[in-house]
Amino acid sequence: MIKFGRWYANRRPARAALLHARLDRFAVAWDGILDRFPEGTVDGLYLPDFGELAAADDRHTEAMDRRLSGLHG
């Protein structure tokens, strides 16, 4: 999903930003609905934080690039 998001953002950055804002608004509204249920009963229905997943993927890519450049140099 993250790779598709990056591909789309590279292809159409303005549209991707609009789509990201809409998805974020939906996620916040959905979390608000789920917050009304008792603790632990709907944990599986929460949406993942795609921003954090993308940031973790970026950190991993940077670390791999550093390691590979260290081996190469």
Side-chain angles (χ1 to χ4, degrees):
M1 191 68 164
I2 292 173
K3 287 182 182 183
F4 172 74
R6 284 188 183 152
W7 172 81
Y8 192 71
N10 289 334
R11 189 163 183 232
R12 299 187 63 186
R15 180 74 177 144
L18 178 64
L19 182 62
H20 183 271
R22 286 180 181 171
L23 287 172
D24 191 45
R25 279 197 308 271
F26 172 76
V28 169
W30 182 248
D31 287 349
I33 291 169
L34 295 180
D35 285 343
R36 295 179 182 169
F37 289 89
E39 184 79 24
T41 58
V42 291
D43 287 346
L45 298 176
Y46 281 94
L47 296 175
D49 184 0
F50 291 109
E52 178 56 34
L53 290 175
D57 191 42
D58 288 342
R59 288 191 303 268
H60 175 72
T61 302
E62 290 172 6
M64 289 302 295
D65 289 344
R66 281 194 309 271
R67 289 179 188 159
L68 290 175
S69 66
L71 290 174
H72 188 293

